[in-house]
Amino acid sequence: MTARWDAVVVGAGMAGSLVAQRLGAQGWRVLVLEAGRTADSAPDTAAAYRAAGGGTPTSPYPHNPHAPSPDVGDLTGRPDGGFTATGYLLQHGPLPYASGYLRANGGTGLLWTGLTPRMHPEDFRTGDLGHGRNWPIGYHDLEPHYRAAEHELGVAADAEQQRTAVGLPIPDDYAFPMRAIPASHLDRQLAHALDGRTVRDPAMPGPARLAVTATPHARNGLPTRPTQPGASLGPICAGSAGCVPVCPTGAKYTPLRTQARWSASVELRTEAVVDRVLADPVTGRVTGVEYLAGGAVHRVDADLVVLAAHAIENARLLLLSGLANRSDQVGRNLMDHPALLTWGLMPRPVGPYRGPGSTSGLEAFRFGPGRELRAPFRIEIGNWGWSWAGGAPPAEAAALLAAGLRGKELRESLGDRLGRQFSLQFELEQPADPANRVTLDPDRRDPLGLPRPAIRYDLTEYVRQGMASARAVSDQLFALLGAEDHTAYPAGPQWPGRLEHGGAVYGYRGAGHAGGTHVMGDSPATSVVDQWQRCWDHPNLYAVGCGSMPSLGTSNPSLTMAALALRSAERIHRDLLDLHRPPTAGSRAAQHPTETP
């Protein structure tokens, strides 16, 4: 049997796959343990999804019955305005944590939207701005790793537009690997109506100037320079509207693309549920992990362990192991991007249900003085009509049938309404709050007998005020567009995330952007990991991923997570060199005793 490993990585999602790739390229022997199963190829998964008539985002992927995946279908709104939760996550309110994640080889990176905006420099110092925590590093510390991540993922974007519209200090000579994904017909119509106009955010001292801006994507477009790294990553995006939960052509990045570049020194084992990280009680150094597979308990010895299993699963595993919690911050500061949706009908057809879910957005509300009073937000322009907000096309057809329409009248009415649908998605920053947390429920067990994760989740006044500002901005945008506003959040099954604030009703969806549960900081008294995502209490244990992020800002966090993973991989490599001097194959091989089954 194989023996001691240089590193064990727990989780084969985006962060774990990137760390394993970088370590394997340096010649280290890496074992990757993944709780889920391996998915079929993208075309086969897409075909199965279509044959099943759709479903929730996790539905087309194989599930390990011993490692359940939380799903958005686990939440249902009640007639009284509350919610009911079923499934793997135990929800204790007062509001629902409304995001799921996938436990499979590739993780949630199989079904993500593929949007890759960078965080704004302000987002790294939210504590100085009066809300949440500061990072122990700044934007400029991460900037070279952003570039590395963009080449690893094959990001399509316009650097000059990101400098001018978002205010990102991107080096003048830098070009993204791919040219920006083309604007949709809806994007162009909104740009024609909105660019150069202004709206008033109640929290801002002056008007906000509007500019429809292309969103960075980790999906293949036309290469900026055909010979540069990252230029040949597969087929160009064909504009499929089914790229969540699966891109049918493989144009969107998934961690499987990185796994295809793993060296022979990296081994993957699926359906291996890690239930404990093992540590020496005297030195604090971890010695390996224990995992459950095939009805047996296995132990693996390693010089270094990397947890990369998702923000909630990383916290759960640390709590199960009784590790890294000197600060009492393990599991705390759970964050997401609560997404406020508004939707309506444009005065003319806009060609929805073509292309990726969002190709452009409005950036003016992500930064600036307004965030002192309310949570900042980024506005995504939705290309998929009302599908996430008010129901997919079959729901619209059912409503027209219920109204008695038939034949030609039904076809014309349905074509008119579907053709004019659009939506706006306001992704709000949620600051780190220690009261929002993941704990273990000793009385409620998963199929392997392990305590299930329990969630306590709420939105602060700051976030709710952000929703009020977002809705005020939405009202003005609809007026400028001449659009009919059909936004409503009725109590009932469709809106488990429903709340009242200032006499108004709001509804939110979860963005699937979990963070904060093993938060990064500059002191072991107040944080779980240091700036390298290395646990303060255990010098050879890393917890990587969005769980380390002290703030999420308003950008989709996957690119930042990837940049952090690549930065940590450099530190892990140096740690392993320190353990294996001289770093020769012979010295490493000599330290590989037999693995214990």
Side-chain angles (χ1 to χ4, degrees):
M1 274 189 165
T2 317
R4 185 179 187 88
W5 298 84
D6 296 319
V8 169
V9 177
V10 180
M14 187 181 295
S17 295
L18 289 169
V19 169
Q21 190 276 325
R22 290 301 168 100
L23 295 182
Q26 298 286 348
W28 301 110
R29 300 182 64 257
V30 182
L31 175 64
V32 182
L33 298 174
E34 168 56 53
R37 293 176 171 172
T38 297
D40 295 330
S41 67
D44 289 343
T45 302
Y49 186 68
R50 289 193 297 268
T56 59
T58 64
S59 63
Y61 295 98
H63 290 259
N64 179 0
H66 300 302
S69 295
D71 191 84
V72 294
D74 297 342
L75 292 172
T76 305
R78 297 199 308 254
D80 64 1
F83 71 95
T84 299
T86 59
Y88 172 62
L89 293 181
L90 302 172
Q91 299 255 11
H92 298 313
L95 289 174
Y97 174 76
S99 290
Y101 53 91
L102 179 63
R103 299 173 79 185
N105 181 33
T108 311
L110 296 174
L111 52 80
W112 69 313
T113 60
L115 306 188
T116 53
R118 296 185 182 192
M119 290 178 68
H120 190 274
E122 275 187 9
D123 299 335
F124 292 83
R125 53 182 186 89
T126 53
D128 291 344
L129 301 173
H131 301 277
R133 288 171 169 257
N134 285 346
W135 288 56
I137 59 174
Y139 175 90
H140 288 286
D141 296 302
L142 201 57
E143 202 282 328
H145 305 284
Y146 269 138
R147 283 179 273 156
E150 285 157 354
H151 282 270
E152 180 68 38
L153 274 58
V155 170
D158 184 310
E160 182 58 29
Q161 197 174 55
Q162 291 297 301
R163 293 186 197 99
T164 57
V166 187
L168 297 180
I170 297 174
D172 291 340
D173 61 349
Y174 180 68
F176 288 89
M178 306 285 176
R179 299 177 189 174
I181 297 296
S184 68
H185 182 54
L186 172 62
D187 293 338
R188 294 194 294 271
Q189 289 207 35
L190 265 62
H192 179 75
L194 300 179
D195 280 0
R197 308 290 290 275
T198 61
V199 297
R200 288 274 180 176
D201 174 352
M204 296 179 71
R209 187 175 181 85
L210 302 174
V212 174
T213 302
T215 304
H217 280 248
R219 48 176 43 86
N220 298 336
L222 295 174
T224 307
R225 303 187 189 100
T227 59
Q228 73 179 26
S232 300
L233 295 174
I236 292 175
C237 174
S240 303
C243 50
V244 175
V246 56
C247 172
T249 65
K252 181 180 69 176
Y253 171 87
T254 77
L256 303 184
R257 188 181 292 174
T258 293
Q259 291 181 20
R261 296 172 47 239
W262 280 353
S263 73
S265 66
V266 180
E267 179 181 324
L268 171 67
R269 297 180 191 172
T270 57
E271 299 185 65
V273 181
V274 177
D275 67 315
R276 191 157 61 105
V277 179
L278 308 170
D280 186 301
V282 177
T283 67
R285 295 190 67 85
V286 299
T287 58
V289 301
E290 178 182 279
Y291 71 93
L292 308 176
V297 179
H298 305 260
R299 172 176 171 147
V300 176
D301 296 327
D303 292 329
L304 188 144
V305 173
V306 181
L307 305 185
H310 186 271
I312 289 176
E313 294 300 323
N314 275 359
R316 181 190 185 215
L317 185 50
L318 289 172
L319 292 170
L320 285 170
S321 306
L323 299 179
N325 204 17
R326 180 187 357 168
S327 62
D328 188 35
Q329 295 302 301
V330 171
R332 293 188 182 274
N333 307 297
L334 176 64
M335 294 177 279
D336 194 7
H337 281 132
L340 180 79
L341 302 171
T342 61
W343 60 97
L345 296 175
M346 288 285 283
R348 61 190 64 84
V350 293
Y353 302 100
R354 294 176 174 87
S358 177
T359 39
S360 298
L362 297 165
E363 310 286 342
F365 310 95
R366 294 179 58 185
F367 42 81
R371 73 188 305 165
E372 296 179 6
L373 301 177
R374 54 93 178 113
F377 49 88
R378 181 178 181 273
I379 306 175
E380 284 186 14
I381 299 169
N383 287 327
W384 293 346
W386 297 358
S387 57
W388 199 30
E396 188 71 22
L400 293 174
L401 284 168
L405 275 66
R406 298 292 187 275
K408 180 180 179 182
E409 185 181 15
L410 172 64
R411 292 192 298 273
E412 291 179 349
S413 182
L414 186 61
D416 173 67
R417 288 181 67 84
L418 292 180
R420 294 191 291 128
Q421 287 184 357
F422 83 110
S423 64
L424 301 176
Q425 175 181 322
F426 298 78
E427 287 198 2
L428 292 111
E429 177 184 54
Q430 180 178 23
D433 178 354
N436 288 338
R437 63 185 305 192
V438 181
T439 57
L440 301 178
D441 190 321
D443 300 320
R444 307 283 293 278
R445 304 272 171 161
D446 71 8
L448 291 174
L450 303 173
R452 285 164 57 190
I455 307 295
R456 189 274 180 194
Y457 188 79
D458 199 1
L459 301 179
T460 63
E461 178 73 14
Y462 179 69
V463 179
R464 295 170 189 235
Q465 194 57 42
M467 288 185 173
S469 282
R471 188 60 200 266
V473 168
S474 177
D475 290 344
Q476 296 170 73
L477 294 175
F478 274 62
L480 290 173
L481 294 168
E484 299 175 22
D485 195 340
H486 287 252
T487 306
Y489 314 107
Q494 299 304 313
W495 289 102
R498 185 178 184 273
L499 57 93
E500 294 187 16
H501 173 74
V505 174
Y506 302 91
Y508 69 91
R509 308 281 196 211
H513 299 165
T517 54
H518 41 85
V519 70
M520 177 193 299
D522 54 15
S523 168
T526 58
S527 57
V528 179
V529 300
D530 65 13
Q531 63 167 303
W532 304 105
Q533 303 187 86
R534 178 173 50 193
C535 292
W536 290 107
D537 300 345
H538 312 282
N540 60 336
L541 175 62
Y542 283 73
V544 304
C546 296
S548 298
M549 295 170 63
S551 68
L552 296 181
T554 57
S555 56
N556 308 59
S558 295
L559 179 73
T560 300
M561 176 180 67
L564 287 170
L566 295 176
R567 184 175 186 269
S568 292
E570 293 179 358
R571 178 72 257 180
I572 293 168
H573 171 60
R574 295 197 294 270
D575 287 354
L576 289 171
L577 285 176
D578 288 340
L579 287 170
H580 297 280
R581 291 195 182 276
T584 64
S587 65
R588 291 197 295 274
Q591 300 182 46
H592 292 154
T594 303
E595 179 180 334
T596 304

